[in-house]
Protein backbone atom coordinates (compact mmCIF):
# COMPACT_ATOMS: atom_id res chain seq x y z
CA UNK A 1 0.00 0.00 0.00
CA UNK A 2 2.84 2.38 0.88
CA UNK A 3 4.43 2.03 -2.54
CA UNK A 4 1.50 3.43 -4.61
CA UNK A 5 1.01 6.27 -2.10
CA UNK A 6 4.69 7.17 -2.43
CA UNK A 7 4.42 7.05 -6.24
CA UNK A 8 1.33 9.24 -6.31
CA UNK A 9 2.94 11.71 -3.90
CA UNK A 10 6.13 12.01 -5.92
CA UNK A 11 4.11 12.33 -9.13
CA UNK A 12 2.14 15.20 -7.59
CA UNK A 13 5.37 16.77 -6.41
CA UNK A 14 6.85 16.49 -9.90
CA UNK A 15 3.79 18.09 -11.45
CA UNK A 16 3.93 20.87 -8.88
CA UNK A 17 7.59 21.59 -9.62
CA UNK A 18 6.83 21.58 -13.35
CA UNK A 19 3.90 23.95 -12.83
CA UNK A 20 5.92 26.38 -10.71
CA UNK A 21 8.80 26.46 -13.18
CA UNK A 22 6.39 27.01 -16.07
CA UNK A 23 4.75 29.96 -14.35
CA UNK A 24 6.00 33.12 -15.99
CA UNK A 25 6.73 35.93 -13.61
CA UNK A 26 4.57 38.99 -14.04
CA UNK A 27 6.41 41.85 -15.79
CA UNK A 28 6.46 43.78 -12.52
CA UNK A 29 8.03 40.87 -10.61
CA UNK A 30 10.57 40.45 -13.40
CA UNK A 31 11.48 44.12 -13.12
CA UNK A 32 11.80 43.83 -9.34
CA UNK A 33 14.09 40.83 -9.73
CA UNK A 34 16.17 42.68 -12.33
CA UNK A 35 16.63 45.57 -9.90
CA UNK A 36 17.75 43.18 -7.19
CA UNK A 37 20.16 41.52 -9.60
CA UNK A 38 21.38 44.89 -10.89
CA UNK A 39 20.72 44.09 -14.52
CA UNK A 40 20.63 47.75 -15.57
CA UNK A 41 23.46 49.46 -17.35
CA UNK A 42 23.95 53.10 -18.17
CA UNK A 43 25.12 54.18 -21.62
CA UNK A 44 26.29 57.68 -22.48
CA UNK A 45 25.24 59.74 -25.48
CA UNK A 46 27.69 62.58 -26.22
CA UNK A 47 26.44 66.15 -25.88
CA UNK A 48 28.08 68.56 -28.33
CA UNK A 49 28.62 72.31 -27.97
CA UNK A 50 27.84 73.49 -31.52
CA UNK A 51 30.00 76.65 -31.64
CA UNK A 52 33.20 74.81 -30.75
CA UNK A 53 32.43 71.20 -31.67
CA UNK A 54 33.46 70.27 -28.15
CA UNK A 55 31.88 67.30 -26.35
CA UNK A 56 30.94 68.79 -22.98
CA UNK A 57 29.49 65.61 -21.58
CA UNK A 58 26.73 63.10 -22.12
CA UNK A 59 23.20 62.02 -21.32
CA UNK A 60 22.94 58.90 -19.19
CA UNK A 61 20.52 56.45 -20.82
CA UNK A 62 19.60 53.26 -18.99
CA UNK A 63 19.40 49.84 -20.67
CA UNK A 64 18.25 46.52 -19.27
CA UNK A 65 20.63 43.68 -19.97
CA UNK A 66 18.79 40.37 -19.62
CA UNK A 67 20.68 37.29 -18.34
CA UNK A 68 20.46 35.84 -21.89
CA UNK A 69 22.41 38.86 -23.14
CA UNK A 70 19.46 40.65 -24.79
CA UNK A 71 19.37 44.44 -24.36
CA UNK A 72 16.01 45.98 -23.63
CA UNK A 73 15.36 49.63 -24.51
CA UNK A 74 14.10 51.97 -21.79
CA UNK A 75 10.86 52.75 -23.65
CA UNK A 76 9.88 49.11 -23.00
CA UNK A 77 10.29 49.14 -19.21
CA UNK A 78 10.36 52.74 -17.96
CA UNK A 79 6.56 53.14 -18.28
CA UNK A 80 5.96 50.02 -16.14
CA UNK A 81 8.64 51.18 -13.70
CA UNK A 82 6.87 54.52 -13.38
CA UNK A 83 3.44 52.93 -12.91
CA UNK A 84 4.68 50.57 -10.24
CA UNK A 85 6.94 53.02 -8.46
CA UNK A 86 9.99 50.81 -9.13
CA UNK A 87 11.47 53.74 -11.05
CA UNK A 88 12.69 55.15 -7.71
CA UNK A 89 15.02 52.16 -7.34
CA UNK A 90 16.13 52.34 -10.97
CA UNK A 91 16.93 56.05 -10.61
CA UNK A 92 19.02 55.33 -7.50
CA UNK A 93 20.88 52.66 -9.43
CA UNK A 94 21.47 55.00 -12.40
CA UNK A 95 22.78 57.70 -10.04
CA UNK A 96 25.18 55.29 -8.37
CA UNK A 97 26.48 54.06 -11.70
CA UNK A 98 26.85 57.56 -13.18
CA UNK A 99 28.76 58.82 -10.15
CA UNK A 100 31.05 55.77 -10.22
CA UNK A 101 31.70 56.27 -13.95
CA UNK A 102 32.28 60.02 -13.48
CA UNK A 103 34.70 59.23 -10.69
CA UNK A 104 36.64 56.93 -13.02
CA UNK A 105 36.66 59.61 -15.74
CA UNK A 106 37.85 62.25 -13.31
CA UNK A 107 40.69 60.01 -12.30
CA UNK A 108 41.68 60.19 -15.95
CA UNK A 109 41.62 63.99 -15.54
CA UNK A 110 38.51 64.63 -17.58
CA UNK A 111 35.96 67.32 -16.94
CA UNK A 112 32.74 65.68 -17.96
CA UNK A 113 29.09 66.62 -17.40
CA UNK A 114 26.38 63.99 -17.27
CA UNK A 115 22.61 64.51 -17.56
CA UNK A 116 20.35 62.09 -15.69
CA UNK A 117 16.69 61.53 -16.57
CA UNK A 118 14.36 62.07 -13.63
CA UNK A 119 10.76 60.81 -13.71
CA UNK A 120 7.54 62.30 -12.32
CA UNK A 121 7.65 59.84 -9.42
CA UNK A 122 11.19 60.94 -8.58
CA UNK A 123 10.11 64.56 -8.58
CA UNK A 124 7.26 63.72 -6.21
CA UNK A 125 9.40 61.75 -3.79
CA UNK A 126 12.60 63.80 -3.91
CA UNK A 127 14.49 60.74 -2.63
CA UNK A 128 16.91 60.77 -5.59
CA UNK A 129 18.34 64.08 -4.36
CA UNK A 130 19.43 62.54 -1.07
CA UNK A 131 21.04 59.65 -2.93
CA UNK A 132 22.71 62.06 -5.33
CA UNK A 133 24.12 64.26 -2.57
CA UNK A 134 25.43 61.25 -0.68
CA UNK A 135 27.04 59.67 -3.73
CA UNK A 136 28.72 62.80 -5.11
CA UNK A 137 30.06 63.72 -1.66
CA UNK A 138 31.58 60.24 -1.34
CA UNK A 139 33.15 60.43 -4.80
CA UNK A 140 34.24 64.08 -4.56
CA UNK A 141 32.31 65.24 -7.64
CA UNK A 142 31.11 68.82 -8.14
CA UNK A 143 27.30 69.09 -8.16
CA UNK A 144 27.51 71.20 -11.33
CA UNK A 145 28.74 68.16 -13.22
CA UNK A 146 25.38 66.46 -12.77
CA UNK A 147 22.52 67.85 -14.83
CA UNK A 148 18.96 66.68 -14.41
CA UNK A 149 16.33 66.26 -17.13
CA UNK A 150 12.61 66.23 -16.48
CA UNK A 151 9.99 65.94 -19.20
CA UNK A 152 7.19 68.46 -19.54
CA UNK A 153 4.77 65.61 -18.90
CA UNK A 154 6.30 64.96 -15.47
CA UNK A 155 5.28 68.43 -14.28
CA UNK A 156 1.72 67.19 -13.61
CA UNK A 157 1.98 68.41 -10.06
CA UNK A 158 3.65 71.80 -10.61
CA UNK A 159 4.05 72.75 -6.95
CA UNK A 160 5.85 69.57 -5.93
CA UNK A 161 7.88 69.68 -9.13
CA UNK A 162 8.86 73.29 -8.47
CA UNK A 163 9.95 72.49 -4.91
CA UNK A 164 12.13 69.55 -5.98
CA UNK A 165 13.59 71.46 -8.94
CA UNK A 166 14.43 74.37 -6.64
CA UNK A 167 16.10 71.98 -4.19
CA UNK A 168 18.17 70.46 -6.99
CA UNK A 169 19.18 73.89 -8.27
CA UNK A 170 20.13 75.04 -4.74
CA UNK A 171 22.32 71.96 -4.45
CA UNK A 172 24.17 73.14 -7.56
CA UNK A 173 22.70 70.92 -10.30
CA UNK A 174 21.56 72.20 -13.68
CA UNK A 175 17.95 71.59 -14.70
CA UNK A 176 16.68 70.91 -18.21
CA UNK A 177 13.22 70.30 -19.61
CA UNK A 178 13.26 67.18 -21.79
CA UNK A 179 11.18 66.58 -24.93
CA UNK A 180 10.27 70.27 -25.06
CA UNK A 181 7.24 70.98 -27.24
CA UNK A 182 5.55 67.59 -26.81
CA UNK A 183 4.06 67.96 -23.33
CA UNK A 184 1.22 70.10 -22.18
CA UNK A 185 2.97 72.46 -19.84
CA UNK A 186 2.29 76.09 -20.55
CA UNK A 187 5.00 78.62 -21.22
CA UNK A 188 3.80 80.57 -18.20
CA UNK A 189 4.50 77.52 -16.01
CA UNK A 190 7.95 77.00 -17.53
CA UNK A 191 8.67 80.68 -16.99
CA UNK A 192 8.16 80.30 -13.25
CA UNK A 193 10.44 77.26 -12.87
CA UNK A 194 14.14 77.69 -12.09
CA UNK A 195 15.51 76.12 -15.29
CA UNK A 196 18.79 76.20 -17.20
CA UNK A 197 18.01 74.50 -20.49
CA UNK A 198 15.38 73.14 -22.85
CA UNK A 199 15.85 70.05 -24.96
CA UNK A 200 13.95 70.47 -28.20
CA UNK A 201 12.22 67.18 -28.91
CA UNK A 202 13.46 64.98 -31.71
CA UNK A 203 10.18 65.21 -33.63
CA UNK A 204 10.86 68.89 -34.40
CA UNK A 205 14.39 68.06 -35.53
CA UNK A 206 13.09 65.16 -37.65
CA UNK A 207 10.82 67.61 -39.44
CA UNK A 208 13.73 69.73 -40.69
CA UNK A 209 14.09 69.19 -44.42
CA UNK A 210 11.44 66.48 -44.50
CA UNK A 211 7.87 67.24 -43.67
CA UNK A 212 7.06 70.74 -44.87
CA UNK A 213 4.03 71.15 -42.58
CA UNK A 214 5.83 70.03 -39.43
CA UNK A 215 8.96 72.02 -40.15
CA UNK A 216 6.87 75.18 -40.10
CA UNK A 217 6.51 74.60 -36.37
CA UNK A 218 10.23 74.00 -35.64
CA UNK A 219 11.40 77.64 -35.80
CA UNK A 220 8.56 78.61 -33.46
CA UNK A 221 9.50 75.96 -30.92
CA UNK A 222 13.10 77.20 -31.04
CA UNK A 223 11.81 80.78 -30.77
CA UNK A 224 9.78 79.91 -27.68
CA UNK A 225 12.84 78.38 -26.09
CA UNK A 226 14.82 81.50 -26.89
CA UNK A 227 12.07 83.72 -25.45
CA UNK A 228 12.43 81.85 -22.16
CA UNK A 229 16.14 82.83 -22.23
CA UNK A 230 17.33 79.28 -21.69
CA UNK A 231 20.13 77.23 -23.21
CA UNK A 232 18.80 75.14 -26.06
CA UNK A 233 19.74 71.56 -26.83
CA UNK A 234 18.59 69.88 -30.05
CA UNK A 235 17.92 66.17 -29.61
CA UNK A 236 18.00 63.49 -32.27
CA UNK A 237 20.13 65.31 -34.86
CA UNK A 238 20.78 62.72 -37.57
CA UNK A 239 21.81 64.66 -40.68
CA UNK A 240 24.22 67.37 -41.74
CA UNK A 241 21.25 69.44 -42.84
CA UNK A 242 19.68 69.30 -39.36
CA UNK A 243 23.01 70.16 -37.75
CA UNK A 244 23.37 73.21 -40.04
CA UNK A 245 19.78 74.27 -39.33
CA UNK A 246 20.01 74.21 -35.54
CA UNK A 247 23.36 76.01 -35.60
CA UNK A 248 21.92 78.77 -37.74
CA UNK A 249 18.88 79.00 -35.46
CA UNK A 250 21.18 79.73 -32.49
CA UNK A 251 20.78 76.43 -30.66
CA UNK A 252 23.82 76.01 -28.38
CA UNK A 253 24.06 72.25 -27.91
CA UNK A 254 23.09 69.13 -29.80
CA UNK A 255 22.82 65.41 -29.38
CA UNK A 256 22.13 62.79 -32.00
CA UNK A 257 23.39 59.97 -34.15
CA UNK A 258 25.00 62.54 -36.48
CA UNK A 259 27.62 63.02 -33.72
CA UNK A 260 27.41 59.75 -31.78
CA UNK A 261 25.04 57.12 -30.42
CA UNK A 262 24.84 56.23 -26.73
CA UNK A 263 28.02 54.36 -25.78
CA UNK A 264 29.10 52.13 -22.88
CA UNK A 265 31.15 54.09 -20.28
CA UNK A 266 34.60 53.01 -21.48
CA UNK A 267 33.78 53.73 -25.13
CA UNK A 268 32.36 57.11 -24.19
CA UNK A 269 35.56 57.95 -22.32
CA UNK A 270 37.62 57.12 -25.42
CA UNK A 271 35.24 59.13 -27.61
CA UNK A 272 35.47 62.13 -25.26
CA UNK A 273 39.24 62.12 -25.38
CA UNK A 274 39.58 61.71 -29.16
CA UNK A 275 36.74 64.03 -30.13
CA UNK A 276 37.99 66.92 -27.99
CA UNK A 277 41.62 66.72 -29.03
CA UNK A 278 42.80 70.20 -30.04
CA UNK A 279 39.45 71.87 -29.25
CA UNK A 280 38.45 74.29 -26.51
CA UNK A 281 35.02 74.57 -25.01
CA UNK A 282 33.43 77.98 -24.48
CA UNK A 283 30.88 76.59 -22.07
CA UNK A 284 33.44 74.85 -19.89
CA UNK A 285 35.61 77.93 -19.56
CA UNK A 286 32.56 79.87 -18.36
CA UNK A 287 31.37 77.06 -16.10
CA UNK A 288 34.81 76.42 -14.57
P1 LIG B 1 15.10 60.91 -23.89
O1 LIG B 1 15.53 61.29 -22.53
O2 LIG B 1 14.43 61.95 -24.70
O3 LIG B 1 16.41 60.35 -24.59
C1 LIG B 1 16.68 60.49 -25.95
C2 LIG B 1 16.40 59.20 -26.70
O4 LIG B 1 16.61 59.41 -28.10
C3 LIG B 1 17.35 58.06 -26.35
O5 LIG B 1 16.63 56.85 -26.52
C4 LIG B 1 18.43 58.19 -27.40
O6 LIG B 1 19.17 56.98 -27.59
C5 LIG B 1 17.59 58.52 -28.60
N1 LIG B 1 18.34 59.21 -29.63
C6 LIG B 1 19.34 60.13 -29.47
N2 LIG B 1 19.76 60.59 -30.64
C7 LIG B 1 19.04 59.96 -31.60
C8 LIG B 1 19.02 60.03 -33.04
O7 LIG B 1 19.76 60.79 -33.67
N3 LIG B 1 18.10 59.25 -33.66
C9 LIG B 1 17.27 58.41 -33.01
N4 LIG B 1 16.39 57.68 -33.72
N5 LIG B 1 17.25 58.33 -31.65
C10 LIG B 1 18.14 59.10 -30.96
P2 LIG B 1 16.62 55.72 -25.42
O8 LIG B 1 17.98 55.56 -24.82
O9 LIG B 1 15.97 54.53 -26.02
O10 LIG B 1 15.69 56.32 -24.29
C11 LIG B 1 14.33 56.56 -24.51
C12 LIG B 1 13.69 57.31 -23.37
O11 LIG B 1 13.70 56.51 -22.18
C13 LIG B 1 14.45 58.58 -22.97
O12 LIG B 1 14.10 59.63 -23.83
C14 LIG B 1 13.94 58.79 -21.56
O13 LIG B 1 12.67 59.39 -21.56
C15 LIG B 1 13.80 57.36 -21.07
N6 LIG B 1 14.98 57.03 -20.26
C16 LIG B 1 16.19 56.59 -20.65
N7 LIG B 1 17.01 56.39 -19.59
C17 LIG B 1 16.30 56.75 -18.49
C18 LIG B 1 16.59 56.79 -17.09
O14 LIG B 1 17.68 56.48 -16.60
N8 LIG B 1 15.56 57.21 -16.26
C19 LIG B 1 14.35 57.59 -16.75
N9 LIG B 1 13.41 58.00 -15.88
N10 LIG B 1 14.05 57.58 -18.06
C20 LIG B 1 15.01 57.15 -18.92
MG1 LIG C 1 16.48 62.78 -21.63
MG1 LIG D 1 14.88 63.92 -24.65
MG1 LIG E 1 12.88 62.44 -26.45
Amino acid sequence: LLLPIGLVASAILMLLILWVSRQRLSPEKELKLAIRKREFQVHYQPLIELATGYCVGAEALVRWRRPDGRWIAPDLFIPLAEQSGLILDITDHVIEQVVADLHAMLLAEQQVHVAINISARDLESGRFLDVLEREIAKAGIAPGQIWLEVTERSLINPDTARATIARARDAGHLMAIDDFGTGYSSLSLLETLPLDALKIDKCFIDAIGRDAAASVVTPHIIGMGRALKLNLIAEGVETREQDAYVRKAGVQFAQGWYYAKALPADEFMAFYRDYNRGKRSRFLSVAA
Side-chain angles (χ1 to χ4, degrees), residues 41-43 45-46 59-63 72-79 81-82 87 90-91 93-95 98 115-120 122 149 151 153 178-180 199-202 205-206 234-239 242 255-262:
Q41 254 188 53
V42 179
H43 285 191
Q45 185 178 35
E59 175 175 6
L61 294 161
V62 74
R63 276 102 182 78
I72 302 193
D75 288 333
L76 295 175
F77 63 87
I78 294 284
E82 287 185 351
I87 189 70
I90 294 178
T91 303
H93 181 76
V94 168
I95 288 171
V98 165
I116 297 176
N117 290 284
I118 297 300
S119 79
D122 294 309
E149 296 186 2
T151 63
R153 275 178 297 274
D178 206 348
D179 301 347
F180 177 63
K199 299 190 82 167
I200 299 155
D201 192 73
K202 183 180 184 309
I205 308 301
D206 280 343
E235 58 173 28
V237 174
E238 290 181 348
T239 68
Q242 291 164 352
Q255 244 179 285
W257 296 353
Y258 179 66
Y259 316 99
K261 289 194 176 184

Side-chain angles (χ1 to χ4, degrees), residues 152-173:
E152 279 184 83
R153 275 178 297 274
S154 67
L155 304 174
I156 20 173
N157 189 344
D159 292 328
T160 331
R162 182 181 287 108
T164 308
I165 290 172
R167 242 187 93 201
R169 279 284 263 31
D170 289 345
H173 304 296

Side-chain angles (χ1 to χ4, degrees), residues 59 83 102:
E59 175 175 6
Q83 256 171 264
L102 263 176

Side-chain angles (χ1 to χ4, degrees), residues 44-269:
Y44 296 89
Q45 185 178 35
L47 174 65
I48 311 297
E49 180 184 43
L50 289 170
T52 59
Y54 198 91
C55 171
V56 296
E59 175 175 6
L61 294 161
V62 74
R63 276 102 182 78
W64 180 1
R65 190 164 196 275
R66 303 302 309 265
D68 62 9
R70 270 184 310 138
W71 288 96
I72 302 193
D75 288 333
L76 295 175
F77 63 87
I78 294 284
L80 174 63
E82 287 185 351
Q83 256 171 264
S84 59
L86 290 170
I87 189 70
L88 298 185
D89 298 324
I90 294 178
T91 303
D92 289 353
H93 181 76
V94 168
I95 288 171
E96 284 166 17
Q97 207 173 312
V98 165
V99 171
D101 289 338
L102 263 176
H103 186 66
M105 290 185 231
L106 287 174
L107 290 179
E109 288 181 278
Q110 315 267 2
Q111 229 240 333
V112 192
H113 292 75
V114 176
I116 297 176
N117 290 284
I118 297 300
S119 79
R121 289 284 193 118
D122 294 309
L123 277 184
E124 266 167 51
S125 113
R127 184 178 95 186
F128 74 98
L129 274 178
D130 301 324
V131 175
L132 190 53
E133 296 334 302
R134 186 190 71 213
E135 292 300 310
I136 64 172
K138 259 199 319 206
I141 284 161
Q145 280 182 270
I146 306 276
W147 299 358
L148 302 170
E149 296 186 2
V150 298
T151 63
E152 279 184 83
R153 275 178 297 274
S154 67
L155 304 174
I156 20 173
N157 189 344
D159 292 328
T160 331
R162 182 181 287 108
T164 308
I165 290 172
R167 242 187 93 201
R169 279 284 263 31
D170 289 345
H173 304 296
L174 263 60
M175 289 295 319
I177 293 292
D178 206 348
D179 301 347
F180 177 63
T182 63
Y184 33 70
S185 59
S186 64
L187 288 183
S188 57
L189 168 64
L190 292 182
E191 209 177 4
T192 65
L193 293 173
L195 300 171
D196 302 285
L198 292 177
K199 299 190 82 167
I200 299 155
D201 192 73
K202 183 180 184 309
C203 67
F204 303 109
I205 308 301
D206 280 343
I208 297 166
R210 282 190 202 152
D211 180 344
S215 62
V216 166
V217 179
T218 305
H220 294 288
I221 293 286
I222 295 174
M224 280 196 271
R226 274 234 221 71
L228 289 166
K229 297 196 173 62
L230 295 169
N231 284 299
L232 299 180
I233 302 163
E235 58 173 28
V237 174
E238 290 181 348
T239 68
R240 193 223 281 266
E241 187 185 6
Q242 291 164 352
D243 167 85
Y245 184 99
V246 292
R247 268 169 206 281
K248 219 168 141 201
V251 173
Q252 291 92 339
F253 300 96
Q255 244 179 285
W257 296 353
Y258 179 66
Y259 316 99
K261 289 194 176 184
L263 305 164
D266 52 342
E267 286 177 36
F268 169 69
M269 255 185 267

